[in-house]
Amino acid sequence: MKGTLQHKIAAGKSGIVFYSLTPPKITTESEKVTVIAGNQIERLKNLDIDGLILYDIQDEALRTDKERPFSFIPTISPEVYSKELLATLPVPKIIYKSIANHTREMFADWLSRNTDLEATVFVGASSQQQVQATNFSLSDAYQVKKEMGLDILLGGVTIPERHTRKGDEHLRMFSKMEHGCNFFVSQCIYNINETKNVMSDYHYHAMTNNTRPVPVIFTLTPCGSLKTLQFMEWLGIEVPKWVYNDLKYSKDILQSSIYTATNIAGEILNYATTKNLPVGFNIESVSNKKDEIMAAHEILENVLHMVKPLKTEVNESKRAMPAY
């Protein structure tokens, strides 16, 4: 399974599809955790996904002065949840790992205890204060992995909203590629213009520097309430006013968000095809509400239908490779 995902990423294929979950909160009773994991395995075992992302959730209170819409409760460590409760799920696991509050020694110890991971995505601290407190940055984390010589598929995070503020997100991506990142997963997106801006700069920088771009997996998520919408904005996700209004005044906000996410996926896929950029999608399911879980599955089915032609070797071989 790992080899298949590695091959697709190394080959720069489009149409890679991930599904993502947040492990249960640490306050959840062990019996209930077992039930939750069992239900997740049943729902996911027959889906045509290329990997399962397990998030490492952090407080992020230092990132903004705004009040957090939902209280923060730590979750079970994603690598522990993967190994102990989702081991029977026959799909590659991509483990997110936040370097926040880690020193170099702590992070090296974590890596040494998890050399069997299939894939991982390192996540930087949410504030400069955290980096200064530990004297350990995301670049340091990449260096530690390199020094340890671990054969773990490495991904990076990309944030389209950051491109609007600073205009250098594509340069951050190429810097992470130099540090060993083989693919990227975006923060949840609702602003297609910001996303296209990043894709455009990413494409033309690769072309002018004779560099081959790696796959970018764009995250889509359903939104079931105004409070969830406010939480998304608290996380730094840019929701255009017209999208916000469409969701807010919709008779069914969840169904409206499914429609919006599906349209975004189609627009990304169409734009990427014109540029021969390798793109895929990550369908995020971080709610424990049944209707929002089913909404995530509906988005997933819509996306799988869109990328189906890209998943066949016949169609893939016909796609012209860019002259990077």
Side-chain angles (χ1 to χ4, degrees):
M1 299 299 290
K2 175 183 175 182
T4 302
L5 178 58
Q6 282 183 327
H7 170 73
K8 289 181 179 180
I9 288 175
K13 291 193 174 183
S14 274
I16 294 172
V17 177
F18 294 152
Y19 193 82
S20 52
L21 300 170
T22 299
K25 295 177 174 58
I26 60 171
T27 53
T28 308
E29 296 179 355
S30 59
E31 294 82 3
K32 189 174 181 180
V33 170
T34 302
V35 171
I36 291 172
N39 289 338
Q40 289 171 339
I41 291 172
E42 281 302 307
R43 284 197 301 268
L44 297 174
K45 66 181 182 181
N46 295 320
L47 295 179
D48 185 23
I49 56 176
D50 297 292
L52 174 68
I53 290 177
L54 292 168
Y55 289 131
D56 184 13
I57 302 298
Q58 300 297 312
D59 188 359
E60 297 191 34
L62 295 175
R63 183 181 52 79
T64 177
D65 294 330
K66 296 180 180 180
E67 183 179 354
R68 201 179 202 273
F70 295 102
S71 59
F72 172 72
I73 301 175
T75 63
I76 298 170
S77 298
E79 68 277 10
V80 171
Y81 190 63
S82 172
K83 295 174 186 178
E84 297 185 2
L85 289 136
L86 299 181
T88 60
L89 184 64
V91 63
K93 318 296 194 307
I94 301 99
I95 304 300
Y96 267 46
K97 177 59 180 176
S98 171
I99 64 130
N101 305 315
H102 278 59
T103 62
R104 175 180 286 270
E105 292 73 22
M106 291 167 61
F107 187 76
D109 178 64
W110 180 85
L111 273 178
S112 67
R113 289 184 285 107
N114 290 281
T115 57
D116 57 340
L117 293 183
E118 297 166 290
T120 185
V121 174
F122 297 161
V123 183
S126 61
S127 72
Q128 194 59 33
Q129 294 122 293
Q130 290 178 314
V131 175
Q132 293 172 347
T134 59
N135 194 31
F136 187 66
S137 68
L138 187 58
S139 294
D140 295 326
Y142 292 138
Q143 185 61 33
V144 170
K145 178 184 179 296
K146 181 179 179 181
E147 291 172 356
M148 294 178 69
L150 300 179
D151 181 26
I152 301 174
L153 189 62
L154 180 62
V157 173
T158 182
I159 303 176
E161 287 85 351
R162 193 160 53 193
H163 196 63
T164 300
R165 298 193 306 269
K166 300 183 177 181
D168 65 349
E169 186 63 17
H170 63 300
L171 300 179
R172 290 171 181 261
M173 294 168 72
F174 281 99
S175 175
K176 290 178 181 181
M177 287 163 61
E178 291 174 358
H179 281 97
C181 286
N182 303 115
F183 66 98
F184 292 97
V185 182
S186 81
Q187 180 173 267
C188 171
I189 55 170
Y190 266 85
N191 191 320
I192 188 63
N193 286 334
E194 290 181 340
T195 304
K196 283 185 176 181
N197 286 340
V198 175
M199 293 169 68
S200 175
D201 285 340
Y202 181 58
H203 164 70
Y204 286 110
H205 184 85
M207 186 174 67
T208 56
N209 288 273
N210 198 33
T211 303
R212 186 178 182 184
V214 301
V216 183
I217 313 300
F218 291 99
T219 298
L220 307 169
T221 189
C223 176
S225 69
L226 281 179
K227 192 168 184 179
T228 298
L229 188 58
Q230 292 164 359
F231 182 54
M232 288 164 55
E233 292 189 310
W234 184 87
L235 288 170
I237 298 167
E238 174 65 30
V239 181
K241 182 65 175 177
W242 68 271
V243 175
Y244 185 95
N245 284 341
D246 282 354
L247 294 174
K248 179 179 179 180
Y249 294 103
S250 171
K251 292 181 180 179
D252 186 340
I253 187 172
L254 193 56
Q255 194 60 44
S256 182
S257 73
I258 294 171
Y259 177 79
T260 300
T262 302
N263 282 345
I264 288 173
E267 199 160 341
I268 287 174
L269 206 54
N270 288 338
Y271 184 78
T273 300
T274 66
K275 298 287 188 287
N276 281 309
L277 279 175
V279 299
F281 299 98
N282 166 42
I283 313 306
E284 193 172 81
S285 179
V286 294
S287 172
N288 58 7
K289 297 179 180 178
K290 185 177 180 179
D291 59 344
E292 295 194 31
I293 293 172
M294 297 312 295
H297 278 251
E298 187 171 340
I299 296 172
L300 176 64
E301 291 299 328
N302 293 343
V303 166
L304 286 173
H305 179 73
M306 285 183 194
V307 305
K308 189 174 182 179
L310 302 176
K311 286 181 170 292
T312 63
E313 288 296 325
V314 173
N315 286 345
E316 189 66 36
S317 66
K318 293 180 181 178
R319 288 166 56 82
M321 292 301 295
Y324 290 112

